[in-house]
Amino acid sequence: MKLIKTEDAVGHVLCHDITQIIPGVVKDAVFRKGHIVREEDIPVLLSVGKEHLYVWEKKEGILHEDEAAEILRDMCLNENMSATDPKEGKIEILAESDGLFKIDTNGLNRVNALGEMMIATRHGNFPVKQGDKLAATRIIPLVIEEEKMEAAKKAAGEKPLLSILPFQNRKTGIVTTGSEVAKGRIEDAFGPAIRRKLAEYRVEVLGQKIVGDDMEEITAAIHTFIKDGAEMVLCTGGMSVDPDDRTPGAIKATGAQIVSYGAPVLPGAMFLLAYYQKDGRQIPVMGLPGCVMYAKRTIFDLVLPRVLVGEVLCAEDLSQYGEGGLCLGCEVCTFPNCGFGK
């Protein structure tokens, strides 16, 4: 720090808060530590009795917190994102479009492990909407070595740490199984529930085929939808281990590659994910357990947005849902602003 006359402080950085006290009106910092003094600030500073100021003395190889925060911002910022102006070493990053939020977790951890700086984000692999806050960066001290920020850039890697992937309108077919529905003994409740879920992402539904428990009929219905241009097929019902539940076998009989039958998530343990290859494309085929029909949020809510941005999930992707995979069934559901799937 160095002490200078207030009139000479324009362009310098304050090393401490400046408090303004007006009895009965205000008692607060009129300028915060790290503020860069402007010409119009001089009368205000003099009015609070500051004839002299302690300011940061610029040195080669040392960066002010706001300068360093901009470096952290640039490590994160990607398409469809914006950032606030730096303030006290802090910058917030906001979504400029809807999509699936993705994070380079390893790169993020490497940067945060360096100390004296931080990047805090919301959870990745969840949908975000335009205007949502994605992350905030902060430099801890008032000044930091430029060399350390260079190390941070190296730790982060060449690509931005954050990204927003746009949702794709995958044309979808719904295959509802079960003789009780096919024969009209009960009303189909699965179809409307699935349509509501798909409507959240504006997914086009090609149609719904209601079949019985015959495995060949289920397989044929899946094939028909794929032939008609379906880019995703959702099979509802028949997912338990009962002898009459034929959906898993029917999906396998299509020639689709089974990724996993079962997931460490409740509700949704009997979920099945497979991919059918056609013309070099991977068409997701899902077997949805009964919970998707009545539970507020299930494994389907965790997987659907990832599939809709074109991710091809593997068994490990599903197994990682175990920690946080238990929905607590809160009376007031706040998903995705809760611990489910995280």
Side-chain angles (χ1 to χ4, degrees):
M1 294 188 298
K2 67 177 180 178
L3 187 66
I4 64 173
K5 292 181 64 175
T6 298
E7 290 88 342
D8 299 329
V10 174
H12 288 273
V13 179
L14 295 177
C15 290
H16 55 88
D17 292 350
I18 304 294
T19 301
Q20 182 182 47
I21 301 175
I22 302 176
V25 179
V26 66
K27 181 183 178 182
D28 196 7
V30 65
F31 298 112
R32 295 287 184 186
K33 178 184 72 173
H35 176 73
I36 300 175
V37 180
R38 301 161 299 178
E39 186 69 45
E40 58 266 34
D41 299 334
I42 302 301
V44 180
L45 290 164
L46 293 173
S47 72
V48 296
K50 294 300 179 183
E51 299 284 342
H52 296 82
L53 298 170
Y54 280 107
V55 296
W56 171 49
E57 191 170 5
K58 176 71 173 176
K59 292 183 180 179
E60 190 70 26
I62 301 295
L63 297 177
H64 178 254
E65 59 181 351
D66 286 349
E67 295 176 294
E70 290 175 343
I71 294 175
L72 290 180
R73 174 202 62 197
D74 292 344
M75 294 178 197
C76 298
L77 207 60
N78 210 329
E79 294 179 0
N80 303 316
M81 297 179 189
S82 62
T84 61
D85 293 331
K87 182 180 179 182
E88 299 175 8
K90 179 182 178 181
I91 294 177
E92 293 182 348
I93 296 172
L94 309 174
E96 287 296 308
S97 68
D98 297 355
L100 184 74
F101 184 47
K102 300 290 290 184
I103 302 168
D104 176 357
T105 302
N106 291 331
L108 179 68
N109 291 342
R110 288 193 298 268
V111 172
N112 282 328
L114 293 173
E116 296 192 311
M117 65 188 76
M118 54 75 69
I119 303 171
T121 74
R122 64 166 57 211
H123 277 281
N125 288 328
F126 280 85
V128 295
K129 294 185 177 298
Q130 183 179 4
D132 282 350
K133 187 187 299 184
L134 304 176
T137 73
R138 183 73 186 259
I139 300 298
I140 307 304
L142 175 61
V143 296
I144 191 170
E145 296 88 348
E146 189 172 4
E147 182 180 4
K148 193 149 196 176
M149 298 312 301
E150 289 298 323
K153 287 193 284 187
K154 184 176 180 181
E158 295 182 0
K159 296 181 179 180
L161 295 173
L162 312 179
S163 59
I164 297 176
L165 304 182
F167 295 121
Q168 303 168 4
N169 181 12
R170 285 181 175 264
K171 297 177 182 178
T172 300
I174 302 173
V175 178
T176 298
T177 70
S179 59
E180 69 278 17
V181 180
K183 295 180 179 180
R185 297 190 180 112
I186 65 170
E187 185 178 353
D188 170 46
F190 235 133
I194 296 302
R195 289 175 186 271
R196 285 194 296 271
K197 297 285 186 183
L198 297 178
E200 293 182 28
Y201 300 97
R202 301 176 184 175
V203 172
E204 178 184 353
V205 177
L206 292 180
Q208 179 180 7
K209 298 183 184 296
I210 299 178
V211 297
D213 294 313
D214 183 81
M215 195 169 78
E216 291 183 358
E217 287 186 15
I218 300 170
T219 299
I222 296 171
H223 274 303
T224 298
F225 271 127
I226 292 175
K227 181 181 177 181
D228 291 344
E231 297 163 297
M232 179 169 68
V233 180
L234 304 176
C235 301
T236 68
M239 289 303 300
S240 77
V241 294
D242 293 343
D244 289 336
D245 288 339
R246 310 289 177 79
T247 304
I251 294 174
K252 185 176 182 180
T254 64
Q257 182 68 39
I258 305 294
V259 173
S260 179
Y261 178 25
V265 177
L266 288 173
M270 303 304 290
F271 172 77
L272 184 149
L273 176 64
Y275 285 94
Y276 184 92
Q277 291 196 24
K278 179 184 179 183
D279 301 329
R281 296 181 294 119
Q282 299 265 50
I283 300 173
V285 181
M286 301 185 209
L288 304 181
C291 61
V292 177
M293 178 172 47
Y294 58 81
K296 291 178 182 177
R297 298 294 177 176
T298 69
I299 178 68
F300 187 47
D301 297 284
L302 304 180
V303 171
L304 179 61
R306 299 183 68 177
V307 169
L308 291 179
V309 298
E311 279 196 69
V312 177
L313 303 181
C314 64
E316 184 179 1
D317 291 318
L318 298 180
S319 68
Q320 289 176 351
Y321 281 121
E323 182 177 358
L326 178 63
C327 176
L328 300 181
C330 302
E331 186 174 343
V332 177
C333 180
T334 59
F335 181 86
N337 298 322
C338 65
F340 183 49
K342 303 183 176 103

